[in-house]
mmCIF file of all heavy atoms in Angstrom:
data_model
loop_
_atom_site.group_PDB
_atom_site.id
_atom_site.type_symbol
_atom_site.label_atom_id
_atom_site.label_comp_id
_atom_site.label_asym_id
_atom_site.label_seq_id
_atom_site.Cartn_x
_atom_site.Cartn_y
_atom_site.Cartn_z
ATOM 1 N N ARG A 127 18.883 -13.789 -9.278
ATOM 2 C CA ARG A 127 17.492 -14.343 -9.109
ATOM 3 C C ARG A 127 16.712 -13.664 -8.146
ATOM 4 O O ARG A 127 17.024 -13.392 -7.026
ATOM 5 C CB ARG A 127 17.608 -15.784 -8.905
ATOM 6 C CG ARG A 127 16.215 -16.483 -8.696
ATOM 7 C CD ARG A 127 16.234 -17.956 -8.988
ATOM 8 N NE ARG A 127 16.915 -18.354 -10.231
ATOM 9 C CZ ARG A 127 17.527 -19.455 -10.319
ATOM 10 N NH1 ARG A 127 17.494 -20.333 -9.437
ATOM 11 N NH2 ARG A 127 18.090 -19.705 -11.525
ATOM 12 N N ILE A 128 15.510 -13.385 -8.608
ATOM 13 C CA ILE A 128 14.474 -12.729 -7.713
ATOM 14 C C ILE A 128 13.238 -13.655 -7.578
ATOM 15 O O ILE A 128 12.723 -14.005 -8.585
ATOM 16 C CB ILE A 128 14.006 -11.238 -8.221
ATOM 17 C CG1 ILE A 128 15.246 -10.379 -8.488
ATOM 18 C CG2 ILE A 128 12.986 -10.644 -7.365
ATOM 19 C CD1 ILE A 128 14.927 -9.176 -9.216
ATOM 20 N N ILE A 129 12.798 -13.895 -6.456
ATOM 21 C CA ILE A 129 11.563 -14.768 -6.182
ATOM 22 C C ILE A 129 10.414 -13.994 -5.654
ATOM 23 O O ILE A 129 10.702 -13.083 -4.834
ATOM 24 C CB ILE A 129 11.949 -15.993 -5.285
ATOM 25 C CG1 ILE A 129 13.189 -16.794 -5.803
ATOM 26 C CG2 ILE A 129 10.801 -16.800 -4.870
ATOM 27 C CD1 ILE A 129 13.573 -18.038 -4.948
ATOM 28 N N TYR A 130 9.383 -14.259 -6.185
ATOM 29 C CA TYR A 130 8.103 -13.540 -5.802
ATOM 30 C C TYR A 130 6.853 -14.467 -5.779
ATOM 31 O O TYR A 130 7.049 -15.509 -6.165
ATOM 32 C CB TYR A 130 7.916 -12.310 -6.803
ATOM 33 C CG TYR A 130 7.623 -12.777 -8.193
ATOM 34 C CD1 TYR A 130 6.311 -12.834 -8.765
ATOM 35 C CD2 TYR A 130 8.614 -13.297 -9.098
ATOM 36 C CE1 TYR A 130 6.008 -13.268 -9.975
ATOM 37 C CE2 TYR A 130 8.367 -13.707 -10.387
ATOM 38 C CZ TYR A 130 7.065 -13.738 -10.808
ATOM 39 O OH TYR A 130 6.717 -14.168 -12.175
ATOM 40 N N PHE A 131 5.859 -13.773 -5.291
ATOM 41 C CA PHE A 131 4.659 -14.688 -5.120
ATOM 42 C C PHE A 131 3.448 -14.476 -6.166
ATOM 43 O O PHE A 131 3.309 -13.304 -6.545
ATOM 44 C CB PHE A 131 4.125 -14.555 -3.765
ATOM 45 C CG PHE A 131 4.956 -15.180 -2.731
ATOM 46 C CD1 PHE A 131 5.947 -14.399 -2.053
ATOM 47 C CD2 PHE A 131 4.885 -16.423 -2.349
ATOM 48 C CE1 PHE A 131 6.798 -14.892 -1.061
ATOM 49 C CE2 PHE A 131 5.728 -17.056 -1.427
ATOM 50 C CZ PHE A 131 6.660 -16.237 -0.766
ATOM 51 N N SER A 144 7.862 -7.091 -13.397
ATOM 52 C CA SER A 144 8.471 -8.362 -13.687
ATOM 53 C C SER A 144 8.272 -9.329 -12.532
ATOM 54 O O SER A 144 8.253 -10.539 -12.628
ATOM 55 C CB SER A 144 10.137 -8.184 -13.904
ATOM 56 O OG SER A 144 10.327 -7.296 -14.864
ATOM 57 N N ILE A 145 7.922 -8.823 -11.389
ATOM 58 C CA ILE A 145 7.695 -9.524 -10.203
ATOM 59 C C ILE A 145 6.276 -9.545 -9.742
ATOM 60 O O ILE A 145 5.961 -9.707 -8.534
ATOM 61 C CB ILE A 145 8.712 -9.290 -9.067
ATOM 62 C CG1 ILE A 145 8.753 -7.723 -8.695
ATOM 63 C CG2 ILE A 145 10.022 -9.850 -9.377
ATOM 64 C CD1 ILE A 145 9.259 -7.428 -7.443
ATOM 65 N N PRO A 160 14.957 -10.789 -16.543
ATOM 66 C CA PRO A 160 15.188 -12.325 -16.687
ATOM 67 C C PRO A 160 15.395 -12.803 -15.109
ATOM 68 O O PRO A 160 15.523 -11.961 -14.219
ATOM 69 C CB PRO A 160 16.408 -12.340 -17.459
ATOM 70 C CG PRO A 160 17.106 -11.068 -17.302
ATOM 71 C CD PRO A 160 16.123 -10.035 -16.948
ATOM 72 N N ASP A 161 15.414 -14.034 -14.963
ATOM 73 C CA ASP A 161 15.893 -14.643 -13.718
ATOM 74 C C ASP A 161 14.934 -14.390 -12.543
ATOM 75 O O ASP A 161 15.333 -14.007 -11.463
ATOM 76 C CB ASP A 161 17.347 -14.246 -13.431
ATOM 77 C CG ASP A 161 17.963 -15.483 -12.716
ATOM 78 O OD1 ASP A 161 17.326 -16.543 -12.619
ATOM 79 O OD2 ASP A 161 19.154 -15.354 -12.285
ATOM 80 N N THR A 162 13.625 -14.277 -12.933
ATOM 81 C CA THR A 162 12.670 -14.103 -11.853
ATOM 82 C C THR A 162 11.838 -15.412 -11.784
ATOM 83 O O THR A 162 11.710 -16.199 -12.735
ATOM 84 C CB THR A 162 11.649 -12.987 -12.215
ATOM 85 O OG1 THR A 162 10.993 -13.330 -13.455
ATOM 86 C CG2 THR A 162 12.333 -11.673 -12.311
ATOM 87 N N TRP A 163 11.431 -15.645 -10.501
ATOM 88 C CA TRP A 163 10.842 -16.977 -10.263
ATOM 89 C C TRP A 163 9.595 -16.858 -9.390
ATOM 90 O O TRP A 163 9.649 -16.220 -8.332
ATOM 91 C CB TRP A 163 11.764 -17.910 -9.622
ATOM 92 C CG TRP A 163 11.467 -19.327 -9.498
ATOM 93 C CD1 TRP A 163 10.990 -20.039 -8.315
ATOM 94 C CD2 TRP A 163 11.321 -20.327 -10.567
ATOM 95 N NE1 TRP A 163 10.789 -21.298 -8.680
ATOM 96 C CE2 TRP A 163 10.913 -21.460 -10.019
ATOM 97 C CE3 TRP A 163 11.631 -20.256 -11.887
ATOM 98 C CZ2 TRP A 163 10.726 -22.657 -10.792
ATOM 99 C CZ3 TRP A 163 11.466 -21.446 -12.675
ATOM 100 C CH2 TRP A 163 10.963 -22.600 -12.096
ATOM 101 N N GLN A 164 8.442 -17.301 -9.861
ATOM 102 C CA GLN A 164 7.246 -17.217 -9.087
ATOM 103 C C GLN A 164 6.860 -18.381 -8.239
ATOM 104 O O GLN A 164 6.919 -19.525 -8.698
ATOM 105 C CB GLN A 164 5.956 -16.875 -10.011
ATOM 106 C CG GLN A 164 4.757 -16.731 -9.337
ATOM 107 C CD GLN A 164 3.587 -16.374 -10.303
ATOM 108 O OE1 GLN A 164 3.338 -15.274 -10.732
ATOM 109 N NE2 GLN A 164 2.795 -17.408 -10.751
ATOM 110 N N ILE A 165 6.489 -18.235 -6.891
ATOM 111 C CA ILE A 165 6.109 -19.361 -6.080
ATOM 112 C C ILE A 165 4.695 -19.010 -5.499
ATOM 113 O O ILE A 165 4.308 -17.893 -5.621
ATOM 114 C CB ILE A 165 7.109 -19.663 -5.116
ATOM 115 C CG1 ILE A 165 7.468 -18.487 -4.138
ATOM 116 C CG2 ILE A 165 8.442 -20.191 -5.772
ATOM 117 C CD1 ILE A 165 8.340 -18.848 -2.977
ATOM 118 N N SER A 172 7.487 -24.670 -1.490
ATOM 119 C CA SER A 172 7.957 -23.853 -2.531
ATOM 120 C C SER A 172 9.271 -23.006 -2.105
ATOM 121 O O SER A 172 9.944 -22.436 -2.826
ATOM 122 C CB SER A 172 7.002 -22.906 -3.127
ATOM 123 O OG SER A 172 6.564 -22.031 -2.299
ATOM 124 N N SER A 175 12.912 -23.311 -3.222
ATOM 125 C CA SER A 175 13.604 -22.521 -4.449
ATOM 126 C C SER A 175 14.405 -21.427 -3.992
ATOM 127 O O SER A 175 15.112 -20.887 -4.911
ATOM 128 C CB SER A 175 12.444 -22.114 -5.483
ATOM 129 O OG SER A 175 11.505 -21.393 -4.760
ATOM 130 N N ILE A 176 14.368 -20.910 -2.811
ATOM 131 C CA ILE A 176 15.318 -19.919 -2.411
ATOM 132 C C ILE A 176 16.671 -20.602 -2.183
ATOM 133 O O ILE A 176 16.740 -21.506 -1.246
ATOM 134 C CB ILE A 176 14.837 -19.330 -0.982
ATOM 135 C CG1 ILE A 176 13.468 -18.822 -1.100
ATOM 136 C CG2 ILE A 176 15.790 -18.207 -0.668
ATOM 137 C CD1 ILE A 176 12.855 -18.371 0.187
#
Side-chain angles (χ1 to χ4, degrees):
R127 179 158 309 152
I128 302 169
I129 298 181
Y130 64 99
F131 287 95
S144 305
I145 51 160
D161 213 3
T162 56
W163 189 254
Q164 179 176 275
I165 59 175
S172 69
S175 56
I176 306 173

